[in-house]
Structures are given as C-alpha cells and as structure tokens.
Coordinates of all heavy atoms in Angstrom, one line a residue:
P1 N 192.0 234.5 72.2 CA 192.1 233.0 72.0 C 190.9 232.2 72.3 O 190.6 231.3 71.6 CB 193.3 232.6 72.9 CG 193.8 233.8 73.6 CD 192.9 235.0 73.2
H2 N 190.1 232.7 73.3 CA 188.9 232.0 73.7 C 187.8 232.0 72.6 O 187.1 231.1 72.4 CB 188.4 232.4 75.0 CG 189.4 232.2 76.2 ND1 189.7 230.9 76.6 CD2 190.0 233.0 76.9 CE1 190.6 231.0 77.6 NE2 190.8 232.3 77.8
V3 N 187.7 233.2 72.0 CA 186.7 233.4 71.0 C 187.1 232.6 69.7 O 186.2 231.9 69.1 CB 186.6 234.9 70.6 CG1 185.7 235.1 69.4 CG2 186.1 235.8 71.8
V4 N 188.3 232.5 69.4 CA 188.8 231.8 68.2 C 188.5 230.3 68.5 O 188.0 229.6 67.6 CB 190.3 232.0 68.0 CG1 190.8 231.1 66.9 CG2 190.5 233.5 67.5
Y5 N 188.8 229.8 69.7 CA 188.6 228.4 70.1 C 187.1 228.1 69.9 O 186.7 227.1 69.4 CB 189.1 228.1 71.5 CG 188.7 226.7 72.0 CD1 189.5 225.7 71.6 CD2 187.6 226.6 72.8 CE1 189.2 224.4 72.0 CE2 187.3 225.3 73.2 CZ 188.1 224.2 72.8 OH 187.7 222.9 73.3
A6 N 186.2 229.0 70.5 CA 184.8 228.8 70.5 C 184.3 228.7 69.1 O 183.5 227.8 68.7 CB 184.1 229.9 71.3
R7 N 184.8 229.6 68.2 CA 184.3 229.6 66.8 C 184.8 228.3 66.1 O 184.0 227.8 65.3 CB 184.8 230.8 66.1 CG 184.4 230.9 64.6 CD 184.7 232.3 64.0 NE 184.4 232.3 62.7 CZ 183.2 232.3 62.1 NH1 182.1 232.3 62.8 NH2 183.1 232.4 60.8
N8 N 185.9 227.9 66.3 CA 186.5 226.8 65.6 C 186.0 225.5 66.0 O 186.1 224.5 65.4 CB 188.1 226.8 65.6 CG 188.6 227.9 64.7 OD1 188.0 228.3 63.8 ND2 189.8 228.3 65.1
T9 N 185.4 225.4 67.2 CA 184.9 224.1 67.8 C 183.4 224.1 67.9 O 182.9 223.2 68.5 CB 185.6 223.9 69.1 OG1 185.3 224.9 70.0 CG2 187.0 223.6 69.0
S10 N 182.7 225.1 67.3 CA 181.3 225.2 67.3 C 180.7 224.8 66.0 O 181.3 225.1 65.0 CB 180.8 226.6 67.6 OG 181.2 227.0 68.9
V11 N 179.6 224.0 66.0 CA 179.0 223.6 64.8 C 178.4 224.8 64.1 O 177.6 225.6 64.7 CB 177.9 222.5 65.0 CG1 177.1 222.1 63.8 CG2 178.5 221.3 65.7
H12 N 178.7 225.0 62.8 CA 178.1 226.1 62.1 C 176.9 225.6 61.4 O 176.8 224.5 60.8 CB 179.2 226.7 61.1 CG 180.3 227.4 61.8 ND1 180.8 228.6 61.3 CD2 181.0 227.1 62.9 CE1 181.7 229.0 62.1 NE2 181.9 228.1 63.0
A13 N 175.8 226.5 61.4 CA 174.6 226.1 60.8 C 174.6 225.7 59.3 O 174.0 224.8 58.9 CB 173.6 227.3 61.0
A14 N 175.4 226.5 58.6 CA 175.5 226.3 57.2 C 176.1 224.9 56.8 O 175.7 224.3 55.9 CB 176.2 227.4 56.5
T15 N 177.2 224.6 57.5 CA 177.9 223.3 57.2 C 177.5 222.1 58.0 O 177.6 221.0 57.6 CB 179.4 223.5 57.4 OG1 179.7 223.8 58.7 CG2 180.0 224.6 56.5
G16 N 177.0 222.4 59.2 CA 176.6 221.3 60.0 C 177.8 220.6 60.7 O 177.6 219.6 61.4
V17 N 179.0 221.2 60.6 CA 180.2 220.7 61.2 C 181.0 221.8 61.8 O 180.7 223.0 61.5 CB 181.0 219.8 60.3 CG1 180.3 218.6 59.9 CG2 181.5 220.5 59.1
T18 N 182.0 221.5 62.6 CA 182.9 222.6 63.1 C 184.0 222.9 62.1 O 184.4 222.0 61.3 CB 183.5 222.2 64.4 OG1 184.4 221.2 64.1 CG2 182.5 221.8 65.4
P19 N 184.5 224.1 62.0 CA 185.7 224.4 61.2 C 186.8 223.4 61.5 O 187.6 223.0 60.6 CB 186.0 225.8 61.5 CG 184.8 226.5 61.9 CD 184.0 225.3 62.7
F20 N 187.0 223.1 62.7 CA 188.0 222.1 63.1 C 187.9 220.8 62.4 O 188.8 220.2 61.9 CB 188.1 222.0 64.7 CG 189.3 221.2 65.1 CD1 190.4 221.9 65.6 CD2 189.3 219.8 65.2 CE1 191.6 221.2 66.0 CE2 190.4 219.2 65.7 CZ 191.6 219.9 66.1
Q21 N 186.6 220.3 62.4 CA 186.4 219.0 61.7 C 186.7 219.2 60.2 O 187.2 218.2 59.6 CB 184.9 218.6 61.8 CG 184.6 218.1 63.2 CD 183.1 217.8 63.3 OE1 182.3 218.7 63.2 NE2 182.8 216.5 63.5
L22 N 186.4 220.3 59.6 CA 186.6 220.5 58.2 C 188.1 220.4 57.9 O 188.5 219.9 56.9 CB 186.1 221.7 57.6 CG 184.5 221.8 57.5 CD1 184.1 223.2 57.1 CD2 184.1 220.8 56.3
V23 N 188.9 221.0 58.8 CA 190.4 221.0 58.5 C 191.0 219.7 58.9 O 191.8 219.1 58.2 CB 191.0 222.1 59.3 CG1 192.5 222.1 59.2 CG2 190.5 223.5 58.8
Y24 N 190.7 219.1 60.1 CA 191.4 218.0 60.7 C 190.7 216.7 60.6 O 191.3 215.7 61.0 CB 191.8 218.3 62.1 CG 192.7 219.5 62.2 CD1 192.3 220.7 62.8 CD2 194.0 219.4 61.8 CE1 193.1 221.8 62.8 CE2 194.9 220.5 61.8 CZ 194.4 221.7 62.4 OH 195.2 222.8 62.5
A25 N 189.5 216.7 60.1 CA 188.7 215.5 60.0 C 188.4 214.6 61.3 O 188.3 213.5 61.3 CB 189.2 214.5 58.9
R26 N 188.3 215.4 62.3 CA 188.1 214.7 63.6 C 187.6 215.8 64.6 O 187.8 217.0 64.4 CB 189.3 214.1 64.2 CG 190.5 215.0 64.5 CD 191.7 214.2 65.0 NE 192.9 215.1 65.2 CZ 193.1 215.9 66.3 NH1 192.2 215.9 67.3 NH2 194.2 216.7 66.3
E27 N 187.0 215.4 65.7 CA 186.6 216.3 66.8 C 187.9 216.8 67.5 O 188.8 216.2 67.6 CB 185.7 215.6 67.8 CG 184.3 215.2 67.2 CD 183.5 216.4 67.0 OE1 183.7 217.4 67.7 OE2 182.5 216.3 66.3
H28 N 187.7 218.0 68.0 CA 188.9 218.6 68.7 C 189.3 217.7 69.9 O 190.5 217.5 70.1 CB 188.6 220.0 69.2 CG 189.7 220.6 69.9 ND1 189.8 220.7 71.2 CD2 190.8 221.3 69.4 CE1 191.0 221.3 71.6 NE2 191.6 221.7 70.4
E29 N 188.4 217.2 70.7 CA 188.8 216.5 71.9 C 189.1 215.0 71.5 O 189.5 214.2 72.4 CB 187.6 216.4 72.9 CG 187.4 217.7 73.6 CD 186.6 218.7 72.7 OE1 185.9 218.3 71.8 OE2 186.7 219.9 73.0
G30 N 189.0 214.6 70.3 CA 189.3 213.3 69.8 C 190.8 213.0 70.0 O 191.7 213.8 70.4
E31 N 191.1 211.8 69.6 CA 192.5 211.3 69.7 C 193.4 212.2 68.8 O 193.1 212.6 67.7 CB 192.7 209.9 69.2 CG 192.1 209.6 67.9 CD 192.1 208.1 67.6 OE1 191.2 207.4 68.3 OE2 192.8 207.6 66.7
A32 N 194.6 212.6 69.3 CA 195.5 213.5 68.6 C 196.6 212.7 67.9 O 197.2 213.2 66.9 CB 196.1 214.5 69.6
S33 N 196.8 211.5 68.3 CA 197.9 210.7 67.6 C 197.4 209.3 67.4 O 196.5 208.8 68.2 CB 199.1 210.8 68.3 OG 199.0 210.3 69.6
P34 N 197.9 208.6 66.5 CA 197.5 207.2 66.3 C 197.8 206.3 67.5 O 198.9 206.4 68.1 CB 198.3 206.7 65.1 CG 199.3 207.7 64.9 CD 199.0 208.9 65.5
P35 N 196.9 205.5 67.9 CA 197.2 204.5 69.0 C 198.4 203.6 68.7 O 198.6 203.3 67.5 CB 195.9 203.7 69.2 CG 194.9 204.5 68.4 CD 195.6 205.3 67.4
S36 N 199.1 203.2 69.6 CA 200.3 202.4 69.4 C 200.1 201.1 68.6 O 200.9 200.6 67.9 CB 201.1 202.1 70.7 OG 200.3 201.4 71.6
A37 N 198.9 200.5 68.9 CA 198.6 199.2 68.2 C 198.1 199.3 66.8 O 198.1 198.4 66.0 CB 197.6 198.4 69.0
E38 N 197.8 200.6 66.4 CA 197.3 200.8 65.0 C 198.3 201.3 64.1 O 199.2 202.2 64.5 CB 196.1 201.8 65.2 CG 195.5 202.1 63.9 CD 194.3 203.0 64.0 OE1 194.4 203.9 65.0 OE2 193.4 203.0 63.2
L39 N 198.4 200.8 63.0 CA 199.4 201.2 61.9 C 199.0 202.6 61.5 O 197.9 203.0 61.4 CB 199.3 200.3 60.7 CG 199.8 198.9 60.9 CD1 199.6 198.1 59.6 CD2 201.3 198.9 61.4
V40 N 200.0 203.4 61.3 CA 199.9 204.8 60.9 C 199.1 204.9 59.6 O 198.2 205.7 59.5 CB 201.2 205.5 60.8 CG1 201.1 206.9 60.2 CG2 201.9 205.6 62.1
S41 N 199.3 204.0 58.7 CA 198.6 204.1 57.4 C 197.1 203.9 57.6 O 196.3 204.4 56.9 CB 199.2 203.0 56.4 OG 199.0 201.7 56.9
E42 N 196.7 203.0 58.5 CA 195.3 202.7 58.8 C 194.7 204.0 59.5 O 193.6 204.3 59.1 CB 195.2 201.5 59.7 CG 195.5 200.2 59.1 CD 195.5 199.1 60.1 OE1 195.3 199.3 61.2 OE2 195.7 197.9 59.6
Y43 N 195.4 204.6 60.4 CA 195.0 205.8 61.0 C 194.7 206.9 60.0 O 193.7 207.6 60.0 CB 196.0 206.2 62.1 CG 195.7 207.5 62.8 CD1 194.7 207.5 63.7 CD2 196.3 208.7 62.5 CE1 194.3 208.7 64.3 CE2 196.0 209.9 63.1 CZ 195.0 209.9 64.1 OH 194.7 211.1 64.7
V44 N 195.7 207.1 59.1 CA 195.6 208.1 58.1 C 194.4 207.8 57.2 O 193.7 208.7 56.8 CB 196.9 208.2 57.2 CG1 196.7 209.1 56.0 CG2 198.1 208.7 58.2
Q45 N 194.2 206.6 56.8 CA 193.1 206.2 55.9 C 191.8 206.5 56.6 O 190.8 207.0 56.0 CB 193.1 204.7 55.5 CG 192.1 204.4 54.5 CD 192.1 205.2 53.2 OE1 193.2 205.3 52.6 NE2 191.0 205.8 52.8
R46 N 191.7 206.3 57.9 CA 190.4 206.6 58.7 C 190.2 208.1 58.7 O 189.1 208.5 58.5 CB 190.6 206.1 60.1 CG 189.7 205.0 60.4 CD 189.7 204.7 61.9 NE 190.8 205.4 62.6 CZ 190.9 205.6 63.9 NH1 190.0 205.1 64.6 NH2 191.9 206.2 64.4
L47 N 191.2 208.9 58.8 CA 191.2 210.3 58.8 C 190.7 210.8 57.4 O 189.9 211.7 57.3 CB 192.4 211.0 59.2 CG 192.8 211.0 60.7 CD1 194.1 211.7 60.9 CD2 191.7 211.6 61.5
V48 N 191.3 210.3 56.4 CA 190.9 210.6 55.0 C 189.4 210.3 54.8 O 188.6 211.1 54.2 CB 191.8 209.9 54.0 CG1 191.2 210.1 52.5 CG2 193.2 210.5 54.0
D49 N 189.0 209.1 55.2 CA 187.6 208.7 55.0 C 186.6 209.6 55.8 O 185.6 210.1 55.3 CB 187.3 207.3 55.5 CG 188.1 206.3 54.5 OD1 188.4 206.6 53.4 OD2 188.2 205.1 55.0
A50 N 187.0 210.0 57.0 CA 186.2 210.9 57.9 C 186.1 212.3 57.2 O 185.1 212.9 57.1 CB 186.8 211.0 59.3
R51 N 187.3 212.7 56.7 CA 187.3 214.1 56.1 C 186.4 214.1 54.8 O 185.7 215.0 54.6 CB 188.7 214.4 55.7 CG 188.8 215.8 55.0 CD 190.2 216.2 54.8 NE 190.3 217.4 54.0 CZ 190.4 218.6 54.5 NH1 190.6 218.7 55.9 NH2 190.5 219.7 53.8
N52 N 186.4 213.0 54.1 CA 185.5 213.0 52.9 C 184.1 213.0 53.3 O 183.3 213.7 52.6 CB 185.8 211.7 52.0 CG 187.2 211.8 51.4 OD1 187.7 212.9 51.1 ND2 187.7 210.6 51.0
Q53 N 183.7 212.3 54.4 CA 182.3 212.3 54.8 C 181.9 213.7 55.3 O 180.9 214.2 55.0 CB 182.2 211.3 55.9 CG 182.2 209.8 55.4 CD 182.1 208.8 56.5 OE1 182.1 209.2 57.7 NE2 182.0 207.6 56.1
I54 N 182.8 214.4 56.1 CA 182.6 215.6 56.6 C 182.4 216.6 55.5 O 181.5 217.5 55.5 CB 183.7 216.1 57.6 CG1 183.6 215.1 58.8 CG2 183.6 217.5 57.9 CD1 184.8 215.3 59.7
E55 N 183.3 216.6 54.5 CA 183.2 217.6 53.4 C 181.9 217.3 52.6 O 181.3 218.3 52.2 CB 184.5 217.4 52.4 CG 185.7 218.0 53.0 CD 186.9 217.8 52.1 OE1 186.8 217.1 51.2 OE2 187.9 218.4 52.3
A56 N 181.5 216.1 52.4 CA 180.3 215.8 51.7 C 179.1 216.4 52.4 O 178.2 217.0 51.8 CB 180.1 214.3 51.4
K57 N 179.1 216.2 53.7 CA 178.0 216.6 54.5 C 178.0 218.2 54.5 O 176.9 218.8 54.3 CB 178.1 216.2 56.0 CG 177.1 216.8 56.9 CD 177.4 216.3 58.4 CE 176.4 216.9 59.3 NZ 176.6 216.5 60.7
A58 N 179.1 218.8 54.6 CA 179.2 220.3 54.5 C 178.7 220.8 53.2 O 178.0 221.9 53.1 CB 180.6 220.8 54.8
R59 N 179.1 220.1 52.1 CA 178.7 220.6 50.7 C 177.2 220.5 50.6 O 176.5 221.4 50.0 CB 179.3 219.7 49.7 CG 180.8 220.1 49.4 CD 181.3 219.4 48.1 NE 182.7 219.7 48.0 CZ 183.7 218.9 48.3 NH1 183.4 217.6 48.7 NH2 185.0 219.2 48.2
V60 N 176.6 219.5 51.0 CA 175.1 219.3 51.0 C 174.5 220.4 51.8 O 173.5 221.1 51.3 CB 174.7 217.9 51.5 CG1 173.2 217.9 51.7 CG2 175.1 216.9 50.5
R61 N 174.9 220.7 53.0 CA 174.3 221.7 53.8 C 174.5 223.1 53.2 O 173.6 224.0 53.3 CB 175.0 221.7 55.2 CG 174.7 220.4 56.0 CD 173.4 220.3 56.7 NE 173.1 221.5 57.5 CZ 173.0 221.4 58.9 NH1 173.1 220.3 59.5 NH2 172.7 222.5 59.5
L62 N 175.7 223.4 52.6 CA 175.9 224.7 52.0 C 175.0 224.8 50.8 O 174.5 226.0 50.6 CB 177.4 224.8 51.7 CG 178.3 225.1 52.8 CD1 179.8 225.0 52.3 CD2 178.1 226.4 53.4
A63 N 174.8 223.8 50.0 CA 174.0 223.9 48.9 C 172.5 224.2 49.3 O 171.8 225.1 48.7 CB 174.1 222.7 48.0
K64 N 172.1 223.6 50.3 CA 170.7 223.8 50.9 C 170.6 225.2 51.4 O 169.6 225.9 51.1 CB 170.5 222.8 52.0 CG 169.1 222.9 52.6 CD 168.9 221.9 53.7 CE 167.5 222.1 54.3 NZ 167.3 221.1 55.4
A65 N 171.6 225.7 52.1 CA 171.6 227.1 52.7 C 171.5 228.1 51.4 O 170.9 229.1 51.5 CB 172.7 227.3 53.5
E66 N 172.3 227.8 50.4 CA 172.3 228.7 49.3 C 171.0 228.8 48.6 O 170.5 229.9 48.2 CB 173.4 228.3 48.3 CG 173.6 229.2 47.1 CD 174.8 228.8 46.2 OE1 175.5 227.9 46.6 OE2 174.8 229.4 45.1
R67 N 170.3 227.6 48.4 CA 169.0 227.6 47.8 C 168.0 228.3 48.6 O 167.2 229.1 48.0 CB 168.5 226.1 47.6 CG 169.3 225.4 46.4 CD 168.6 224.1 46.1 NE 168.5 223.2 47.3 CZ 169.4 222.3 47.6 NH1 170.5 222.2 47.0 NH2 169.2 221.5 48.7
K68 N 168.1 228.2 49.9 CA 167.2 228.9 50.8 C 167.4 230.4 50.7 O 166.5 231.2 50.6 CB 167.4 228.4 52.3 CG 166.5 229.1 53.3 CD 166.8 228.5 54.6 CE 165.9 229.2 55.7 NZ 166.1 228.6 57.0
R69 N 168.7 230.8 50.6 CA 169.0 232.3 50.6 C 168.5 232.8 49.2 O 167.9 233.9 49.1 CB 170.5 232.4 50.6 CG 171.0 233.8 50.5 CD 170.9 234.5 51.8 NE 169.8 235.6 51.7 CZ 169.1 236.0 52.8 NH1 169.4 235.7 54.0 NH2 168.2 236.9 52.6
E70 N 168.6 232.0 48.1 CA 168.1 232.5 46.8 C 166.6 232.6 46.8 O 166.0 233.6 46.3 CB 168.5 231.5 45.7 CG 169.9 231.5 45.4 CD 170.5 230.4 44.5 OE1 169.7 229.4 44.2 OE2 171.6 230.4 44.1
T71 N 165.9 231.7 47.5 CA 164.4 231.8 47.7 C 164.0 233.0 48.4 O 163.1 233.8 48.0 CB 163.9 230.6 48.4 OG1 164.3 229.4 47.6 CG2 162.4 230.6 48.4
I72 N 164.7 233.3 49.5 CA 164.4 234.5 50.3 C 164.7 235.8 49.5 O 163.8 236.7 49.5 CB 165.2 234.5 51.6 CG1 164.7 233.4 52.5 CG2 165.2 235.9 52.2 CD1 165.7 233.2 53.7
D73 N 165.8 235.8 48.7 CA 166.1 237.0 47.9 C 165.1 237.2 46.8 O 164.7 238.3 46.5 CB 167.5 236.8 47.3 CG 168.6 237.0 48.3 OD1 168.4 237.5 49.4 OD2 169.8 236.6 48.0
A74 N 164.6 236.1 46.2 CA 163.7 236.2 45.1 C 162.3 236.7 45.7 O 161.7 237.6 45.0 CB 163.4 234.8 44.5
K75 N 161.9 236.3 46.9 CA 160.7 236.9 47.5 C 160.9 238.3 47.8 O 159.9 239.1 47.6 CB 160.4 236.1 48.8 CG 159.9 234.7 48.6 CD 159.6 234.0 49.8 CE 159.1 232.6 49.6 NZ 158.9 231.8 50.8
K76 N 162.0 238.7 48.3 CA 162.3 240.1 48.6 C 162.2 241.0 47.3 O 161.7 242.1 47.3 CB 163.6 240.4 49.3 CG 163.6 239.9 50.7 CD 165.0 240.1 51.3 CE 165.0 239.7 52.8 NZ 166.3 240.0 53.4
R77 N 162.8 240.5 46.2 CA 162.7 241.2 44.9 C 161.3 241.4 44.5 O 160.9 242.4 44.0 CB 163.6 240.5 43.9 CG 165.1 240.7 44.1 CD 165.9 240.3 42.8 NE 165.7 238.9 42.5 CZ 166.4 237.9 43.0 NH1 167.3 238.1 43.9 NH2 166.2 236.6 42.7
R78 N 160.5 240.4 44.6 CA 159.1 240.4 44.2 C 158.3 241.5 45.0 O 157.5 242.2 44.5 CB 158.4 239.0 44.3 CG 158.8 238.1 43.1 CD 157.8 236.9 43.0 NE 157.8 236.2 44.3 CZ 158.6 235.1 44.5 NH1 159.4 234.7 43.6 NH2 158.5 234.4 45.6
L79 N 158.6 241.5 46.3 CA 157.9 242.4 47.2 C 158.3 243.8 46.9 O 157.5 244.8 47.0 CB 158.2 242.1 48.7 CG 157.5 240.8 49.1 CD1 158.0 240.5 50.6 CD2 156.0 240.9 49.1
T80 N 159.6 244.1 46.6 CA 160.0 245.4 46.3 C 159.5 245.9 45.0 O 159.4 247.2 44.8 CB 161.5 245.5 46.3 OG1 162.1 244.6 45.3 CG2 162.1 245.2 47.6
R81 N 159.0 245.1 44.1 CA 158.5 245.6 42.8 C 157.1 246.0 43.0 O 156.5 246.8 42.1 CB 158.5 244.4 41.8 CG 159.8 244.0 41.3 CD 159.7 242.9 40.2 NE 160.9 242.2 40.2 CZ 161.1 241.0 39.7 NH1 160.0 240.3 39.3 NH2 162.2 240.4 39.7
L82 N 156.4 245.6 44.1 CA 155.0 246.0 44.3 C 154.9 247.4 44.8 O 155.3 248.3 45.1 CB 154.3 245.0 45.3 CG 154.3 243.7 44.9 CD1 153.8 242.8 46.1 CD2 153.4 243.4 43.7

C-alpha cells in the first residue's frame, strides 16, 4: 500500500502532475468535501476547471517528452547505420 500511495502522489516527470491530480483534479491532502458555506455546484465547477488545467498541462508535457524520445531514437538510428 505504501508503494502505491507514493506512486500516486508523486509528480511524474512526463506529465508534471501526480496521477491522483489527473484523476481527482486536486492534491491528495487538499479538501475532500465541499465547505459548508460553498454550494456544491460551485465546488464541482472548481474541480472541473482544475481538472481541465491539469489535463492540459499533462498533455503539453507528454507531447514534449514524446518529441524528445523521437529525437533520441532518431539519433540512435543514425549512429547504428555508421
């Protein structure tokens, strides 16, 4: 259980966010339920907005990592031809 917790709450290099953030659109130690003074619909909208921002950040980071990997692979292919 500790390993799973560590993996799910650690920032991954490729995405720049934790798997927990990708799934729940919030930090693990963050608030778990809406505050009593806040309407549930406002809370949900905040989570949706946060999730959209997190997903956008992760997509950008993944695309960058993929381009980097392709560059490395291309260099390796050129070297093996020599």
Side-chain angles (χ1 to χ4, degrees):
H2 298 294
V3 173
V4 173
Y5 174 81
R7 178 164 174 76
N8 288 335
T9 57
S10 297
V11 175
H12 288 227
T15 62
V17 295
T18 68
F20 191 92
Q21 283 178 299
L22 284 173
V23 173
Y24 299 107
R26 62 181 175 86
E27 291 287 340
H28 182 263
E29 290 80 23
E31 55 190 66
S33 60
S36 59
E38 185 178 26
L39 295 175
V40 173
S41 62
E42 291 172 358
Y43 177 75
V44 169
Q45 186 59 50
R46 249 187 349 162
L47 287 179
V48 168
D49 293 343
R51 182 177 172 95
N52 289 339
Q53 290 175 354
I54 290 167
E55 285 179 348
K57 178 181 177 180
R59 282 190 185 104
V60 168
R61 297 279 305 249
L62 285 171
K64 183 179 177 182
E66 184 176 347
R67 287 190 303 273
K68 183 177 180 180
R69 179 83 250 156
E70 289 171 354
T71 301
I72 292 169
D73 289 345
K75 286 179 183 178
K76 285 182 180 179
R77 283 193 299 274
R78 281 194 302 266
L79 289 175
T80 57
R81 290 185 204 156
L82 300 175

